Amino acid sequence: MNLKPVFAIIFLLGLVAGGWGFLEHDSWITIELQHSLGSTSNSFSFRGNVTIPSLNSGLANVAQPPLTDQELEQLKTLARQNEFYRLKATVLYSNGAKSNFITSNKACRLLQAQLRDVLWISLDPSGFVTGITASQDTPTGTIECKQEDINQLDETQFSTDVLIRHAELAPVPDTASFIQKVEREREARERGEVRDNRGFFAKYWMYIVPVVLLVFISGATNQEGAK
């Protein structure tokens, strides 16, 4: 069997699979942020935009307008009721594709953090977003908001840091080296250059074992006949 065509096919498949990836990790994406400020409503309103010019660099531009008085009051109401603040992120890729992600946190934690949060963006090896979560840097163990937490809210605008997490590639089998090794061994066998250094029994066990079994069976049969 000639393995050279097989190696060529594997190499071409690797090139095609690499072409299916999202521009080798480096491209731009924009993320539209919307939040829900009602405890029972599924409606979302605009919060801001995040632009990442290069996924490799991880630098992001965040634009978020100040909250209106009505939005601030709705956020405080969520905190008083110990409800969740929900954030929806719509990712737009350079090829026009879109994907949506929803994350939630206690509204109380957002007030305690003075509207400062961190947006974590997870990417797969091809550069596509696999998850978006928001977190706040607040003291642990806080369960419910106190009235002083609500009264101490001085900010009216979100301050968001964006962090990108790239997926690590798992080890890939070295298929090319294995095929080359098999090809060299085949060529060496054809030229008679491969020596068999195995022991006598390792070489000829398939002939020795049947003879031993035959002798053993014959001996047992003769003993039974003598009786």
Side-chain angles (χ1 to χ4, degrees):
M1 176 182 178
N2 191 353
L3 295 178
K4 291 182 178 179
V6 177
F7 173 71
I9 292 174
I10 294 177
F11 178 75
L12 291 176
L13 289 176
L15 291 179
V16 173
W20 288 339
F22 187 68
L23 299 179
E24 296 181 354
H25 292 256
D26 198 11
S27 184
W28 60 264
I29 61 173
T30 60
I31 303 174
E32 180 182 353
L33 301 178
Q34 294 179 310
H35 55 189
S36 178
L37 299 175
S39 58
T40 59
S41 174
N42 290 325
S43 62
F44 289 82
S45 58
F46 179 77
R47 166 174 157 172
N49 284 316
V50 177
T51 303
I52 304 177
S54 172
L55 294 176
N56 283 332
S57 67
L59 299 178
N61 301 320
V62 183
Q64 300 179 110
L67 297 175
T68 63
D69 293 338
Q70 180 181 0
E71 290 174 330
L72 283 172
E73 189 56 38
Q74 289 176 323
L75 185 58
K76 292 179 180 179
T77 301
L78 285 179
R80 292 190 189 97
Q81 298 174 352
N82 196 29
E83 295 288 348
F84 282 93
Y85 168 84
R86 292 174 294 165
L87 179 67
K88 181 169 72 173
T90 302
V91 181
L92 175 63
Y93 299 95
S94 59
N95 60 2
K98 288 185 178 181
S99 57
N100 295 314
F101 302 90
I102 294 180
T103 180
S104 62
N105 297 96
K106 287 289 187 177
C108 175
R109 297 180 65 86
L110 194 57
L111 294 185
Q112 292 171 338
Q114 293 292 318
L115 303 185
R116 292 189 299 269
D117 58 1
V118 179
L119 199 65
W120 295 87
I121 302 175
S122 301
L123 302 177
D124 66 8
S126 300
F128 285 98
V129 178
T130 58
I132 295 180
T133 57
S135 62
Q136 295 82 34
D137 186 13
T138 57
T140 58
T142 303
I143 300 177
E144 296 183 359
C145 268
K146 300 178 182 178
Q147 187 61 38
E148 60 184 83
D149 294 327
I150 299 175
N151 296 335
Q152 290 177 356
L153 179 61
D154 299 325
E155 299 295 332
T156 61
Q157 187 174 8
F158 287 98
S159 177
T160 303
D161 295 325
V162 178
L163 297 178
I164 296 179
R165 292 184 289 198
H166 293 270
E168 296 183 359
L169 291 174
V172 179
D174 192 357
T175 309
S177 299
F178 174 76
I179 293 178
Q180 292 174 358
K181 178 183 177 182
V182 173
E183 181 71 12
R184 288 194 299 267
E185 292 178 353
R186 183 188 63 80
E187 293 176 354
R189 284 195 300 269
E190 291 177 354
R191 295 193 299 265
E193 297 178 357
V194 178
R195 296 181 179 179
D196 195 347
N197 297 322
R198 294 178 298 171
F200 178 81
F201 185 79
K203 290 181 181 179
Y204 304 107
W205 67 270
M206 70 287 295
Y207 306 110
I208 297 174
V209 171
V211 173
V212 172
L213 291 176
L214 182 61
V215 171
F216 178 78
I217 295 173
S218 298
T221 304
N222 292 335
Q223 290 178 2
E224 290 180 359
K227 293 179 181 180

